[in-house]
PDB file of all heavy atoms in Angstrom:
ATOM      1  N   SER A   1      24.312  21.323 -77.707  1.00  0.00           N
ATOM      2  CA  SER A   1      25.321  20.740 -76.779  1.00  0.00           C
ATOM      3  C   SER A   1      25.354  21.620 -75.538  1.00  0.00           C
ATOM      4  O   SER A   1      25.479  22.844 -75.600  1.00  0.00           O
ATOM      5  CB  SER A   1      26.721  20.691 -77.434  1.00  0.00           C
ATOM      6  OG  SER A   1      27.637  20.320 -76.460  1.00  0.00           O
ATOM      7  N   PRO A   2      25.315  21.060 -74.284  1.00  0.00           N
ATOM      8  CA  PRO A   2      25.393  21.876 -73.072  1.00  0.00           C
ATOM      9  C   PRO A   2      26.793  22.473 -72.875  1.00  0.00           C
ATOM     10  O   PRO A   2      26.926  23.476 -72.160  1.00  0.00           O
ATOM     11  CB  PRO A   2      25.113  20.807 -71.960  1.00  0.00           C
ATOM     12  CG  PRO A   2      25.177  19.499 -72.577  1.00  0.00           C
ATOM     13  CD  PRO A   2      25.054  19.600 -74.020  1.00  0.00           C
ATOM     14  N   GLN A   3      27.804  21.973 -73.555  1.00  0.00           N
ATOM     15  CA  GLN A   3      29.142  22.545 -73.380  1.00  0.00           C
ATOM     16  C   GLN A   3      29.432  23.686 -74.344  1.00  0.00           C
ATOM     17  O   GLN A   3      29.953  24.717 -73.967  1.00  0.00           O
ATOM     18  CB  GLN A   3      30.263  21.506 -73.645  1.00  0.00           C
ATOM     19  CG  GLN A   3      30.335  20.416 -72.483  1.00  0.00           C
ATOM     20  CD  GLN A   3      29.335  19.329 -72.592  1.00  0.00           C
ATOM     21  OE1 GLN A   3      28.672  19.190 -73.678  1.00  0.00           O
ATOM     22  NE2 GLN A   3      29.040  18.560 -71.581  1.00  0.00           N
ATOM     23  N   THR A   4      29.083  23.536 -75.626  1.00  0.00           N
ATOM     24  CA  THR A   4      29.360  24.554 -76.634  1.00  0.00           C
ATOM     25  C   THR A   4      28.147  25.351 -77.080  1.00  0.00           C
ATOM     26  O   THR A   4      28.341  26.303 -77.813  1.00  0.00           O
ATOM     27  CB  THR A   4      29.980  23.876 -77.872  1.00  0.00           C
ATOM     28  OG1 THR A   4      29.016  22.955 -78.429  1.00  0.00           O
ATOM     29  CG2 THR A   4      31.249  23.044 -77.487  1.00  0.00           C
ATOM     30  N   ASN A   5      26.993  24.942 -76.626  1.00  0.00           N
ATOM     31  CA  ASN A   5      25.803  25.631 -77.049  1.00  0.00           C
ATOM     32  C   ASN A   5      25.547  25.634 -78.587  1.00  0.00           C
ATOM     33  O   ASN A   5      24.916  26.543 -79.088  1.00  0.00           O
ATOM     34  CB  ASN A   5      25.790  27.024 -76.534  1.00  0.00           C
ATOM     35  CG  ASN A   5      24.263  27.559 -76.411  1.00  0.00           C
ATOM     36  OD1 ASN A   5      23.334  26.721 -76.314  1.00  0.00           O
ATOM     37  ND2 ASN A   5      24.129  28.850 -76.426  1.00  0.00           N
ATOM     38  N   THR A   6      26.111  24.661 -79.196  1.00  0.00           N
ATOM     39  CA  THR A   6      25.892  24.509 -80.640  1.00  0.00           C
ATOM     40  C   THR A   6      25.159  23.170 -80.911  1.00  0.00           C
ATOM     41  O   THR A   6      25.239  22.240 -80.102  1.00  0.00           O
ATOM     42  CB  THR A   6      27.277  24.554 -81.439  1.00  0.00           C
ATOM     43  OG1 THR A   6      28.045  23.411 -80.924  1.00  0.00           O
ATOM     44  CG2 THR A   6      27.953  25.853 -81.189  1.00  0.00           C
ATOM     45  N   TYR A   7      24.509  23.077 -82.021  1.00  0.00           N
ATOM     46  CA  TYR A   7      23.783  21.885 -82.338  1.00  0.00           C
ATOM     47  C   TYR A   7      24.719  20.809 -82.835  1.00  0.00           C
ATOM     48  O   TYR A   7      25.514  21.040 -83.692  1.00  0.00           O
ATOM     49  CB  TYR A   7      22.712  22.165 -83.381  1.00  0.00           C
ATOM     50  CG  TYR A   7      21.438  22.827 -82.849  1.00  0.00           C
ATOM     51  CD1 TYR A   7      21.331  24.233 -82.784  1.00  0.00           C
ATOM     52  CD2 TYR A   7      20.418  22.117 -82.331  1.00  0.00           C
ATOM     53  CE1 TYR A   7      20.295  24.908 -82.233  1.00  0.00           C
ATOM     54  CE2 TYR A   7      19.329  22.688 -81.849  1.00  0.00           C
ATOM     55  CZ  TYR A   7      19.189  24.091 -81.743  1.00  0.00           C
ATOM     56  OH  TYR A   7      18.125  24.721 -81.259  1.00  0.00           O
ATOM     57  N   VAL A   8      24.601  19.672 -82.186  1.00  0.00           N
ATOM     58  CA  VAL A   8      25.352  18.521 -82.621  1.00  0.00           C
ATOM     59  C   VAL A   8      24.382  17.284 -82.730  1.00  0.00           C
ATOM     60  O   VAL A   8      23.322  17.309 -82.135  1.00  0.00           O
ATOM     61  CB  VAL A   8      26.553  18.201 -81.636  1.00  0.00           C
ATOM     62  CG1 VAL A   8      27.543  19.318 -81.654  1.00  0.00           C
ATOM     63  CG2 VAL A   8      25.957  17.997 -80.250  1.00  0.00           C
ATOM     64  N   THR A   9      24.922  16.304 -83.400  1.00  0.00           N
ATOM     65  CA  THR A   9      24.054  15.103 -83.636  1.00  0.00           C
ATOM     66  C   THR A   9      24.716  14.025 -82.688  1.00  0.00           C
ATOM     67  O   THR A   9      25.783  13.464 -83.023  1.00  0.00           O
ATOM     68  CB  THR A   9      24.013  14.637 -85.055  1.00  0.00           C
ATOM     69  OG1 THR A   9      23.546  15.690 -85.847  1.00  0.00           O
ATOM     70  CG2 THR A   9      23.190  13.394 -85.194  1.00  0.00           C
ATOM     71  N   GLN A  10      24.100  13.760 -81.579  1.00  0.00           N
ATOM     72  CA  GLN A  10      24.552  12.770 -80.654  1.00  0.00           C
ATOM     73  C   GLN A  10      23.393  12.509 -79.590  1.00  0.00           C
ATOM     74  O   GLN A  10      22.425  13.197 -79.537  1.00  0.00           O
ATOM     75  CB  GLN A  10      25.840  13.087 -79.980  1.00  0.00           C
ATOM     76  CG  GLN A  10      25.782  14.283 -79.122  1.00  0.00           C
ATOM     77  CD  GLN A  10      27.091  14.601 -78.450  1.00  0.00           C
ATOM     78  OE1 GLN A  10      28.126  14.604 -79.123  1.00  0.00           O
ATOM     79  NE2 GLN A  10      27.094  14.908 -77.133  1.00  0.00           N
ATOM     80  N   ALA A  11      23.680  11.560 -78.745  1.00  0.00           N
ATOM     81  CA  ALA A  11      22.677  11.266 -77.667  1.00  0.00           C
ATOM     82  C   ALA A  11      23.070  11.955 -76.420  1.00  0.00           C
ATOM     83  O   ALA A  11      24.263  12.041 -76.114  1.00  0.00           O
ATOM     84  CB  ALA A  11      22.608   9.728 -77.500  1.00  0.00           C
ATOM     85  N   PHE A  12      22.080  12.344 -75.691  1.00  0.00           N
ATOM     86  CA  PHE A  12      22.278  13.042 -74.360  1.00  0.00           C
ATOM     87  C   PHE A  12      21.439  12.311 -73.288  1.00  0.00           C
ATOM     88  O   PHE A  12      20.338  11.899 -73.532  1.00  0.00           O
ATOM     89  CB  PHE A  12      21.949  14.550 -74.447  1.00  0.00           C
ATOM     90  CG  PHE A  12      22.879  15.296 -75.171  1.00  0.00           C
ATOM     91  CD1 PHE A  12      22.624  15.673 -76.574  1.00  0.00           C
ATOM     92  CD2 PHE A  12      24.083  15.782 -74.686  1.00  0.00           C
ATOM     93  CE1 PHE A  12      23.490  16.434 -77.300  1.00  0.00           C
ATOM     94  CE2 PHE A  12      24.966  16.558 -75.430  1.00  0.00           C
ATOM     95  CZ  PHE A  12      24.690  16.914 -76.724  1.00  0.00           C
ATOM     96  N   PHE A  13      22.036  12.202 -72.119  1.00  0.00           N
ATOM     97  CA  PHE A  13      21.313  11.671 -70.919  1.00  0.00           C
ATOM     98  C   PHE A  13      21.469  12.680 -69.843  1.00  0.00           C
ATOM     99  O   PHE A  13      22.519  13.166 -69.515  1.00  0.00           O
ATOM    100  CB  PHE A  13      21.937  10.333 -70.450  1.00  0.00           C
ATOM    101  CG  PHE A  13      21.271   9.789 -69.247  1.00  0.00           C
ATOM    102  CD1 PHE A  13      20.017   9.120 -69.322  1.00  0.00           C
ATOM    103  CD2 PHE A  13      21.857   9.968 -67.955  1.00  0.00           C
ATOM    104  CE1 PHE A  13      19.404   8.611 -68.154  1.00  0.00           C
ATOM    105  CE2 PHE A  13      21.233   9.489 -66.829  1.00  0.00           C
ATOM    106  CZ  PHE A  13      20.040   8.821 -66.915  1.00  0.00           C
ATOM    107  N   SER A  14      20.255  13.047 -69.250  1.00  0.00           N
ATOM    108  CA  SER A  14      20.267  14.053 -68.119  1.00  0.00           C
ATOM    109  C   SER A  14      19.509  13.484 -66.957  1.00  0.00           C
ATOM    110  O   SER A  14      18.562  12.718 -67.077  1.00  0.00           O
ATOM    111  CB  SER A  14      19.547  15.316 -68.662  1.00  0.00           C
ATOM    112  OG  SER A  14      18.184  15.073 -69.020  1.00  0.00           O
ATOM    113  N   ALA A  15      19.942  13.891 -65.783  1.00  0.00           N
ATOM    114  CA  ALA A  15      19.361  13.481 -64.563  1.00  0.00           C
ATOM    115  C   ALA A  15      19.372  14.622 -63.537  1.00  0.00           C
ATOM    116  O   ALA A  15      20.256  15.419 -63.548  1.00  0.00           O
ATOM    117  CB  ALA A  15      20.062  12.254 -63.912  1.00  0.00           C
ATOM    118  N   ASP A  16      18.308  14.610 -62.696  1.00  0.00           N
ATOM    119  CA  ASP A  16      18.220  15.752 -61.750  1.00  0.00           C
ATOM    120  C   ASP A  16      17.454  15.191 -60.509  1.00  0.00           C
ATOM    121  O   ASP A  16      16.653  14.222 -60.588  1.00  0.00           O
ATOM    122  CB  ASP A  16      17.410  16.859 -62.311  1.00  0.00           C
ATOM    123  CG  ASP A  16      17.438  18.141 -61.438  1.00  0.00           C
ATOM    124  OD1 ASP A  16      18.284  18.156 -60.481  1.00  0.00           O
ATOM    125  OD2 ASP A  16      16.629  18.999 -61.637  1.00  0.00           O
ATOM    126  N   GLY A  17      17.712  15.763 -59.349  1.00  0.00           N
ATOM    127  CA  GLY A  17      17.050  15.336 -58.107  1.00  0.00           C
ATOM    128  C   GLY A  17      17.025  16.501 -57.045  1.00  0.00           C
ATOM    129  O   GLY A  17      17.786  17.468 -57.187  1.00  0.00           O
ATOM    130  N   GLY A  18      16.163  16.329 -56.050  1.00  0.00           N
ATOM    131  CA  GLY A  18      16.074  17.255 -54.989  1.00  0.00           C
ATOM    132  C   GLY A  18      15.395  16.749 -53.763  1.00  0.00           C
ATOM    133  O   GLY A  18      14.555  15.878 -53.836  1.00  0.00           O
ATOM    134  N   VAL A  19      15.703  17.339 -52.663  1.00  0.00           N
ATOM    135  CA  VAL A  19      15.109  16.980 -51.342  1.00  0.00           C
ATOM    136  C   VAL A  19      14.713  18.248 -50.635  1.00  0.00           C
ATOM    137  O   VAL A  19      15.451  19.222 -50.617  1.00  0.00           O
ATOM    138  CB  VAL A  19      16.104  16.164 -50.489  1.00  0.00           C
ATOM    139  CG1 VAL A  19      15.461  15.884 -49.121  1.00  0.00           C
ATOM    140  CG2 VAL A  19      16.496  14.895 -51.127  1.00  0.00           C
ATOM    141  N   SER A  20      13.477  18.220 -50.014  1.00  0.00           N
ATOM    142  CA  SER A  20      12.986  19.393 -49.333  1.00  0.00           C
ATOM    143  C   SER A  20      12.435  19.003 -47.961  1.00  0.00           C
ATOM    144  O   SER A  20      11.774  17.944 -47.839  1.00  0.00           O
ATOM    145  CB  SER A  20      11.888  20.132 -50.161  1.00  0.00           C
ATOM    146  OG  SER A  20      10.793  19.309 -50.303  1.00  0.00           O
ATOM    147  N   LEU A  21      12.733  19.812 -46.955  1.00  0.00           N
ATOM    148  CA  LEU A  21      12.264  19.558 -45.591  1.00  0.00           C
ATOM    149  C   LEU A  21      11.449  20.755 -45.144  1.00  0.00           C
ATOM    150  O   LEU A  21      11.936  21.969 -45.233  1.00  0.00           O
ATOM    151  CB  LEU A  21      13.450  19.276 -44.690  1.00  0.00           C
ATOM    152  CG  LEU A  21      13.133  19.038 -43.199  1.00  0.00           C
ATOM    153  CD1 LEU A  21      12.370  17.722 -43.015  1.00  0.00           C
ATOM    154  CD2 LEU A  21      14.358  18.984 -42.355  1.00  0.00           C
ATOM    155  N   GLY A  22      10.236  20.506 -44.599  1.00  0.00           N
ATOM    156  CA  GLY A  22       9.335  21.613 -44.214  1.00  0.00           C
ATOM    157  C   GLY A  22       8.813  21.394 -42.816  1.00  0.00           C
ATOM    158  O   GLY A  22       8.518  20.236 -42.376  1.00  0.00           O
ATOM    159  N   ALA A  23       8.726  22.441 -42.120  1.00  0.00           N
ATOM    160  CA  ALA A  23       8.117  22.372 -40.724  1.00  0.00           C
ATOM    161  C   ALA A  23       7.272  23.653 -40.486  1.00  0.00           C
ATOM    162  O   ALA A  23       7.668  24.797 -40.886  1.00  0.00           O
ATOM    163  CB  ALA A  23       9.225  22.330 -39.661  1.00  0.00           C
ATOM    164  N   ASP A  24       6.127  23.487 -39.756  1.00  0.00           N
ATOM    165  CA  ASP A  24       5.243  24.635 -39.458  1.00  0.00           C
ATOM    166  C   ASP A  24       5.717  25.256 -38.138  1.00  0.00           C
ATOM    167  O   ASP A  24       5.410  24.815 -37.057  1.00  0.00           O
ATOM    168  CB  ASP A  24       3.799  24.099 -39.293  1.00  0.00           C
ATOM    169  CG  ASP A  24       2.813  25.270 -39.280  1.00  0.00           C
ATOM    170  OD1 ASP A  24       3.292  26.461 -39.262  1.00  0.00           O
ATOM    171  OD2 ASP A  24       1.586  24.972 -39.272  1.00  0.00           O
ATOM    172  N   ILE A  25       6.505  26.299 -38.259  1.00  0.00           N
ATOM    173  CA  ILE A  25       7.145  26.944 -37.087  1.00  0.00           C
ATOM    174  C   ILE A  25       6.133  27.894 -36.418  1.00  0.00           C
ATOM    175  O   ILE A  25       6.035  27.940 -35.215  1.00  0.00           O
ATOM    176  CB  ILE A  25       8.417  27.667 -37.444  1.00  0.00           C
ATOM    177  CG1 ILE A  25       9.417  26.664 -38.035  1.00  0.00           C
ATOM    178  CG2 ILE A  25       9.022  28.456 -36.254  1.00  0.00           C
ATOM    179  CD1 ILE A  25      10.728  27.313 -38.563  1.00  0.00           C
ATOM    180  N   PHE A  26       5.337  28.623 -37.229  1.00  0.00           N
ATOM    181  CA  PHE A  26       4.531  29.694 -36.689  1.00  0.00           C
ATOM    182  C   PHE A  26       3.364  29.100 -35.790  1.00  0.00           C
ATOM    183  O   PHE A  26       2.929  29.670 -34.843  1.00  0.00           O
ATOM    184  CB  PHE A  26       3.932  30.532 -37.798  1.00  0.00           C
ATOM    185  CG  PHE A  26       5.016  31.292 -38.528  1.00  0.00           C
ATOM    186  CD1 PHE A  26       5.482  30.883 -39.722  1.00  0.00           C
ATOM    187  CD2 PHE A  26       5.567  32.470 -38.049  1.00  0.00           C
ATOM    188  CE1 PHE A  26       6.491  31.579 -40.423  1.00  0.00           C
ATOM    189  CE2 PHE A  26       6.529  33.181 -38.668  1.00  0.00           C
ATOM    190  CZ  PHE A  26       7.003  32.771 -39.905  1.00  0.00           C
ATOM    191  N   ASN A  27       2.885  27.855 -36.209  1.00  0.00           N
ATOM    192  CA  ASN A  27       1.804  27.265 -35.486  1.00  0.00           C
ATOM    193  C   ASN A  27       2.231  26.207 -34.421  1.00  0.00           C
ATOM    194  O   ASN A  27       1.476  25.378 -34.008  1.00  0.00           O
ATOM    195  CB  ASN A  27       0.847  26.547 -36.436  1.00  0.00           C
ATOM    196  CG  ASN A  27       0.049  27.588 -37.268  1.00  0.00           C
ATOM    197  OD1 ASN A  27      -0.212  28.690 -36.816  1.00  0.00           O
ATOM    198  ND2 ASN A  27      -0.256  27.259 -38.532  1.00  0.00           N
ATOM    199  N   TRP A  28       3.529  26.235 -34.118  1.00  0.00           N
ATOM    200  CA  TRP A  28       4.095  25.159 -33.176  1.00  0.00           C
ATOM    201  C   TRP A  28       3.427  25.228 -31.838  1.00  0.00           C
ATOM    202  O   TRP A  28       2.991  24.195 -31.302  1.00  0.00           O
ATOM    203  CB  TRP A  28       5.559  25.365 -33.114  1.00  0.00           C
ATOM    204  CG  TRP A  28       6.278  24.273 -32.376  1.00  0.00           C
ATOM    205  CD1 TRP A  28       6.705  23.108 -32.965  1.00  0.00           C
ATOM    206  CD2 TRP A  28       6.544  24.093 -31.028  1.00  0.00           C
ATOM    207  NE1 TRP A  28       7.255  22.317 -32.066  1.00  0.00           N
ATOM    208  CE2 TRP A  28       7.198  22.899 -30.820  1.00  0.00           C
ATOM    209  CE3 TRP A  28       6.403  25.030 -29.935  1.00  0.00           C
ATOM    210  CZ2 TRP A  28       7.689  22.504 -29.568  1.00  0.00           C
ATOM    211  CZ3 TRP A  28       6.864  24.601 -28.666  1.00  0.00           C
ATOM    212  CH2 TRP A  28       7.459  23.352 -28.547  1.00  0.00           C
ATOM    213  N   PHE A  29       3.316  26.443 -31.219  1.00  0.00           N
ATOM    214  CA  PHE A  29       2.739  26.587 -29.897  1.00  0.00           C
ATOM    215  C   PHE A  29       1.215  26.165 -29.976  1.00  0.00           C
ATOM    216  O   PHE A  29       0.708  25.592 -29.006  1.00  0.00           O
ATOM    217  CB  PHE A  29       2.895  27.929 -29.319  1.00  0.00           C
ATOM    218  CG  PHE A  29       4.332  28.278 -29.047  1.00  0.00           C
ATOM    219  CD1 PHE A  29       5.093  29.065 -29.864  1.00  0.00           C
ATOM    220  CD2 PHE A  29       4.885  27.771 -27.856  1.00  0.00           C
ATOM    221  CE1 PHE A  29       6.465  29.353 -29.513  1.00  0.00           C
ATOM    222  CE2 PHE A  29       6.205  28.020 -27.512  1.00  0.00           C
ATOM    223  CZ  PHE A  29       7.021  28.794 -28.330  1.00  0.00           C
ATOM    224  N   TYR A  30       0.512  26.519 -31.062  1.00  0.00           N
ATOM    225  CA  TYR A  30      -0.896  26.205 -31.190  1.00  0.00           C
ATOM    226  C   TYR A  30      -1.013  24.686 -31.248  1.00  0.00           C
ATOM    227  O   TYR A  30      -1.999  24.158 -30.614  1.00  0.00           O
ATOM    228  CB  TYR A  30      -1.438  26.842 -32.420  1.00  0.00           C
ATOM    229  CG  TYR A  30      -2.831  26.428 -32.833  1.00  0.00           C
ATOM    230  CD1 TYR A  30      -3.915  26.910 -32.104  1.00  0.00           C
ATOM    231  CD2 TYR A  30      -3.052  25.488 -33.785  1.00  0.00           C
ATOM    232  CE1 TYR A  30      -5.194  26.450 -32.438  1.00  0.00           C
ATOM    233  CE2 TYR A  30      -4.305  25.010 -34.108  1.00  0.00           C
ATOM    234  CZ  TYR A  30      -5.400  25.554 -33.416  1.00  0.00           C
ATOM    235  OH  TYR A  30      -6.671  25.116 -33.710  1.00  0.00           O
ATOM    236  N   LYS A  31      -0.151  24.034 -32.030  1.00  0.00           N
ATOM    237  CA  LYS A  31      -0.246  22.605 -32.051  1.00  0.00           C
ATOM    238  C   LYS A  31      -0.020  21.918 -30.668  1.00  0.00           C
ATOM    239  O   LYS A  31      -0.543  20.843 -30.371  1.00  0.00           O
ATOM    240  CB  LYS A  31       0.685  22.034 -33.070  1.00  0.00           C
ATOM    241  CG  LYS A  31       0.246  22.412 -34.512  1.00  0.00           C
ATOM    242  CD  LYS A  31       1.172  21.808 -35.609  1.00  0.00           C
ATOM    243  CE  LYS A  31       0.693  22.132 -36.974  1.00  0.00           C
ATOM    244  NZ  LYS A  31       1.618  21.497 -38.024  1.00  0.00           N
ATOM    245  N   GLN A  32       0.955  22.529 -29.911  1.00  0.00           N
ATOM    246  CA  GLN A  32       1.301  21.968 -28.592  1.00  0.00           C
ATOM    247  C   GLN A  32       0.024  22.045 -27.688  1.00  0.00           C
ATOM    248  O   GLN A  32      -0.289  21.135 -26.987  1.00  0.00           O
ATOM    249  CB  GLN A  32       2.489  22.737 -28.022  1.00  0.00           C
ATOM    250  CG  GLN A  32       3.796  22.327 -28.589  1.00  0.00           C
ATOM    251  CD  GLN A  32       4.310  20.955 -27.977  1.00  0.00           C
ATOM    252  OE1 GLN A  32       3.519  20.201 -27.555  1.00  0.00           O
ATOM    253  NE2 GLN A  32       5.631  20.771 -28.116  1.00  0.00           N
ATOM    254  N   ARG A  33      -0.600  23.203 -27.782  1.00  0.00           N
ATOM    255  CA  ARG A  33      -1.832  23.311 -26.900  1.00  0.00           C
ATOM    256  C   ARG A  33      -2.930  22.442 -27.375  1.00  0.00           C
ATOM    257  O   ARG A  33      -3.708  21.886 -26.539  1.00  0.00           O
ATOM    258  CB  ARG A  33      -2.335  24.820 -26.890  1.00  0.00           C
ATOM    259  CG  ARG A  33      -1.314  25.750 -26.226  1.00  0.00           C
ATOM    260  CD  ARG A  33      -2.022  27.145 -26.052  1.00  0.00           C
ATOM    261  NE  ARG A  33      -2.202  27.824 -27.386  1.00  0.00           N
ATOM    262  CZ  ARG A  33      -1.304  28.609 -27.892  1.00  0.00           C
ATOM    263  NH1 ARG A  33      -0.114  28.878 -27.227  1.00  0.00           N
ATOM    264  NH2 ARG A  33      -1.545  29.197 -29.047  1.00  0.00           N
ATOM    265  N   THR A  34      -3.049  22.161 -28.655  1.00  0.00           N
ATOM    266  CA  THR A  34      -4.011  21.216 -29.168  1.00  0.00           C
ATOM    267  C   THR A  34      -3.728  19.845 -28.662  1.00  0.00           C
ATOM    268  O   THR A  34      -4.689  19.127 -28.320  1.00  0.00           O
ATOM    269  CB  THR A  34      -4.025  21.291 -30.701  1.00  0.00           C
ATOM    270  OG1 THR A  34      -4.287  22.594 -31.176  1.00  0.00           O
ATOM    271  CG2 THR A  34      -5.012  20.306 -31.268  1.00  0.00           C
ATOM    272  N   ILE A  35      -2.427  19.456 -28.693  1.00  0.00           N
ATOM    273  CA  ILE A  35      -2.123  18.155 -28.201  1.00  0.00           C
ATOM    274  C   ILE A  35      -2.458  17.999 -26.683  1.00  0.00           C
ATOM    275  O   ILE A  35      -2.991  16.980 -26.255  1.00  0.00           O
ATOM    276  CB  ILE A  35      -0.573  17.930 -28.371  1.00  0.00           C
ATOM    277  CG1 ILE A  35      -0.257  17.753 -29.860  1.00  0.00           C
ATOM    278  CG2 ILE A  35      -0.150  16.622 -27.671  1.00  0.00           C
ATOM    279  CD1 ILE A  35       1.156  17.632 -30.185  1.00  0.00           C
ATOM    280  N   ALA A  36      -2.182  19.042 -25.908  1.00  0.00           N
ATOM    281  CA  ALA A  36      -2.469  19.002 -24.545  1.00  0.00           C
ATOM    282  C   ALA A  36      -3.982  18.896 -24.259  1.00  0.00           C
ATOM    283  O   ALA A  36      -4.480  18.112 -23.428  1.00  0.00           O
ATOM    284  CB  ALA A  36      -1.952  20.227 -23.811  1.00  0.00           C
ATOM    285  N   ALA A  37      -4.796  19.656 -25.090  1.00  0.00           N
ATOM    286  CA  ALA A  37      -6.251  19.570 -24.944  1.00  0.00           C
ATOM    287  C   ALA A  37      -6.765  18.224 -25.317  1.00  0.00           C
ATOM    288  O   ALA A  37      -7.626  17.646 -24.629  1.00  0.00           O
ATOM    289  CB  ALA A  37      -6.883  20.660 -25.836  1.00  0.00           C
ATOM    290  N   ASN A  38      -6.219  17.623 -26.403  1.00  0.00           N
ATOM    291  CA  ASN A  38      -6.618  16.240 -26.751  1.00  0.00           C
ATOM    292  C   ASN A  38      -6.273  15.216 -25.788  1.00  0.00           C
ATOM    293  O   ASN A  38      -6.962  14.214 -25.588  1.00  0.00           O
ATOM    294  CB  ASN A  38      -6.066  15.941 -28.179  1.00  0.00           C
ATOM    295  CG  ASN A  38      -6.620  16.781 -29.289  1.00  0.00           C
ATOM    296  OD1 ASN A  38      -7.720  17.274 -29.196  1.00  0.00           O
ATOM    297  ND2 ASN A  38      -5.881  16.936 -30.373  1.00  0.00           N
ATOM    298  N   ARG A  39      -5.146  15.425 -25.085  1.00  0.00           N
ATOM    299  CA  ARG A  39      -4.695  14.513 -24.066  1.00  0.00           C
ATOM    300  C   ARG A  39      -5.670  14.571 -22.856  1.00  0.00           C
ATOM    301  O   ARG A  39      -6.095  13.459 -22.321  1.00  0.00           O
ATOM    302  CB  ARG A  39      -3.297  14.803 -23.608  1.00  0.00           C
ATOM    303  CG  ARG A  39      -2.768  13.815 -22.592  1.00  0.00           C
ATOM    304  CD  ARG A  39      -1.318  14.138 -22.174  1.00  0.00           C
ATOM    305  NE  ARG A  39      -0.416  13.856 -23.336  1.00  0.00           N
ATOM    306  CZ  ARG A  39       0.284  14.829 -23.932  1.00  0.00           C
ATOM    307  NH1 ARG A  39       0.083  16.160 -23.588  1.00  0.00           N
ATOM    308  NH2 ARG A  39       1.106  14.561 -24.909  1.00  0.00           N
ATOM    309  N   TYR A  40      -6.087  15.770 -22.478  1.00  0.00           N
ATOM    310  CA  TYR A  40      -7.115  15.843 -21.400  1.00  0.00           C
ATOM    311  C   TYR A  40      -8.407  15.281 -21.827  1.00  0.00           C
ATOM    312  O   TYR A  40      -9.144  14.710 -21.004  1.00  0.00           O
ATOM    313  CB  TYR A  40      -7.251  17.367 -20.980  1.00  0.00           C
ATOM    314  CG  TYR A  40      -6.082  17.902 -20.245  1.00  0.00           C
ATOM    315  CD1 TYR A  40      -5.473  19.067 -20.631  1.00  0.00           C
ATOM    316  CD2 TYR A  40      -5.513  17.225 -19.128  1.00  0.00           C
ATOM    317  CE1 TYR A  40      -4.413  19.623 -19.935  1.00  0.00           C
ATOM    318  CE2 TYR A  40      -4.414  17.733 -18.404  1.00  0.00           C
ATOM    319  CZ  TYR A  40      -3.870  18.962 -18.900  1.00  0.00           C
ATOM    320  OH  TYR A  40      -2.817  19.467 -18.145  1.00  0.00           O
ATOM    321  N   ASP A  41      -8.725  15.404 -23.031  1.00  0.00           N
ATOM    322  CA  ASP A  41     -10.025  14.867 -23.556  1.00  0.00           C
ATOM    323  C   ASP A  41      -9.994  13.358 -23.500  1.00  0.00           C
ATOM    324  O   ASP A  41     -11.000  12.699 -23.180  1.00  0.00           O
ATOM    325  CB  ASP A  41     -10.241  15.366 -25.025  1.00  0.00           C
ATOM    326  CG  ASP A  41     -11.624  14.969 -25.522  1.00  0.00           C
ATOM    327  OD1 ASP A  41     -12.655  15.359 -24.910  1.00  0.00           O
ATOM    328  OD2 ASP A  41     -11.699  14.287 -26.566  1.00  0.00           O
ATOM    329  N   LEU A  42      -8.848  12.783 -23.806  1.00  0.00           N
ATOM    330  CA  LEU A  42      -8.710  11.327 -23.731  1.00  0.00           C
ATOM    331  C   LEU A  42      -8.800  10.852 -22.270  1.00  0.00           C
ATOM    332  O   LEU A  42      -9.476   9.806 -22.019  1.00  0.00           O
ATOM    333  CB  LEU A  42      -7.314  10.884 -24.306  1.00  0.00           C
ATOM    334  CG  LEU A  42      -6.973   9.383 -24.172  1.00  0.00           C
ATOM    335  CD1 LEU A  42      -8.072   8.546 -24.863  1.00  0.00           C
ATOM    336  CD2 LEU A  42      -5.673   9.160 -24.771  1.00  0.00           C
TER     337      LEU A  42
END
């Protein structure tokens, strides 16, 4: 049992969830220069 930490005979239902957000901060300026170079190439 999650409440008493003792074994009991019954049914249990559990649910869990999570959300994560990620961004490449260190390569931000590099990507900006790459976009500019690709724009000139176009």
Side-chain angles (χ1 to χ4, degrees):
S1 173
Q3 289 81 16
T4 61
N5 202 23
T6 58
Y7 281 92
V8 294
T9 301
Q10 66 180 45
F12 288 98
F13 177 79
S14 61
D16 191 13
V19 177
S20 63
L21 180 66
D24 192 355
I25 299 177
F26 295 100
N27 292 327
W28 190 85
F29 291 103
Y30 172 78
K31 291 183 177 180
Q32 284 282 22
R33 289 191 294 269
T34 301
I35 292 175
N38 292 337
R39 184 178 291 111
Y40 287 130
D41 187 59
L42 175 59

